[in-house]
Amino acid sequence: MTLSTNGTRHVFTSMGTAVSLAFAADAPTGAIAAVENVFRALDNQFSLYKPQSEATAVAHGGLPIAQASRRMQDTFALAERWRNATSGAFTPHRPDGSIDLSGVVKAIAIDEAGSALRAHGGTDWCLNAGGDVLTSGSQDGGMPWVVGVVDPADRGRLLTQFACSTAYPAVATSGVTERGEHVWRQDDADRLVQVTVVAGDIITADVLATAILSGGRAVLDRALTRWPLEVIAASTSGDYYTTPAFRQ
Amino acid sequence: MTNPATATLTPLIPKGTTMTTRRNSAALLASAGILATGWGIGTAHGKTLTTTVPATATSAGTTAGTTGTTGTTGTTGTTASGNTSGAASGTTAGETTYTGTRQSDRWGSLQVTITVASGKITNVTYTTTAGDGKSLSIEARAIPTLKSEVLAAQSAQVSSVSGATYTSTKYLTSLQSAIDQMA
């Protein structure tokens, strides 16, 4: 793999995964630290792997949402809106009823990091957190940021790619293999094993990738009539479902 | 609900598709129905078309594109009067359009219009009102695609990799890690 390697790249760990931040040119002063701060703050508050986090208190410690912080309430409300918008295909609740906002927190972090980058004057960058990608502007030389999609049948290879644009800057993928079956399924009849959604913002892309993976083709079809998206979904049978951007 | 807007979708069924038999046209529509399973569009138009197509299909099968327009127009009346699930309208230059009933569910409503000429579907349009009032093009519908038809990645161009969430450990063996190391 060869790349245009001008510019700056910075990698750090947060939320149990790696976050990669690439700039087409030099990173604006303070931009990298601002991005790290966004991830750190959200991780500290929302991680269910941290016993002292507020999210842990909500999920297991008896802290009612109504008495939680404003930020926790807003995030829960956002997740509830997405649950309604996807007819429950996306849900902030685990099967046991406990609240799990992990499904939106990483996307919120990416989204806020994008705002922080813009606030620091960053115009041309590509931010990847655990396989979910938000881009702005273009690579060095004016080429669009191109996001490769992992082949679910061979994770060492790329299945396809998408050249990001102003209208479609965000790419998110949900799958069943990397962290096990981390998405709660609604039906097993027509199983999708990996869903990549390209959207106008990273929260929409991430939530819908999760919802479509969970809800299958019925949710995919409905999502495409409601949001402007490009999608490629892989099923257990090896079939793919694609929107035009992913077809030759 | 807000004002419906019209979008063009080409083609729900590929342009130039020749429907030679009832069974084939139904099958094509069944696959096209993937786009809107929840609204039963495939079913509605399956009915419309299976009453419409055979008259022109015989010749369309062998002389695609040259079927006389009178045949197409001639079936219009049959369809319009005999089918309660849809309505035929407009017969311009040998083209006949058929509009399905408006289908609604909690996501909004959808109404599909197809244009048939010489036994072929030449265009499909629809109007929709999604819950948030956005109207979208079904250009973005997802259709079954062979892996060989999927746009191949040009790895030289790839600047980032999207995949199911990897753990910190898995990151070290991921393609993204390789990209980050090259930078």
Side-chain angles (χ1 to χ4, degrees), chain B:
Chain B
M1 298 292 169
T2 56
N3 294 332
T6 300
T8 299
L9 64 153
T10 45
L12 186 63
I13 295 167
K15 272 186 184 174
T17 297
T18 303
M19 291 175 288
T20 52
T21 68
R22 287 165 188 256
R23 179 171 299 177
N24 282 353
S25 60
L28 285 165
L29 286 160
S31 64
I34 286 165
L35 107 86
T37 332
W39 294 276
I41 297 303
T43 305
H45 288 282
K47 289 175 186 171
T48 301
L49 282 166
T50 49
T51 62
T52 306
V53 169
T56 57
T58 307
S59 53
T62 50
T63 56
T66 61
T67 308
T69 57
T70 50
T72 305
T73 312
T75 60
T76 306
T78 306
T79 305
S81 61
N83 193 319
T84 56
S85 68
S89 62
T91 54
T92 306
E95 291 185 337
T96 308
T97 58
Y98 302 92
T99 301
T101 52
R102 181 162 287 276
Q103 307 281 328
S104 299
D105 67 6
R106 76 179 80 177
W107 297 71
S109 68
L110 184 81
Q111 186 167 36
V112 174
T113 299
I114 63 171
T115 304
V116 177
S118 301
K120 299 176 184 179
I121 293 180
T122 56
N123 198 22
V124 185
T125 60
Y126 79 109
T127 60
T128 183
T129 53
D132 56 3
K134 287 181 182 173
S135 177
L136 303 171
S137 170
I138 293 186
E139 288 285 359
R141 75 205 180 283
I143 66 170
T145 308
L146 295 172
K147 190 164 187 176
S148 60
E149 298 169 335
V150 171
L151 178 72
Q154 306 297 317
S155 58
Q157 301 175 4
V158 169
S159 40
S160 200
V161 175
S162 183
T165 304
Y166 38 73
T167 62
S168 300
T169 312
K170 286 267 182 65
Y171 165 78
L172 295 174
T173 58
S174 73
L175 292 169
Q176 182 61 44
S177 170
I179 289 176
D180 290 336
Q181 287 171 40
M182 267 182 281

Side-chain angles (χ1 to χ4, degrees), chain A residues 178-193:
Chain A
E178 284 283 10
R179 275 185 174 171
E181 306 234 346
H182 74 286
V183 174
W184 317 120
R185 302 182 164 286
Q186 287 197 320
D187 72 85
D188 288 326
D190 187 10
R191 306 190 74 182
L192 299 176
V193 295

Side-chain angles (χ1 to χ4, degrees), chain A residues 9 15 48 58 111 133:
Chain A
R9 199 170 276 262
M15 300 185 176
L48 292 174
V58 170
D111 189 60
V133 185

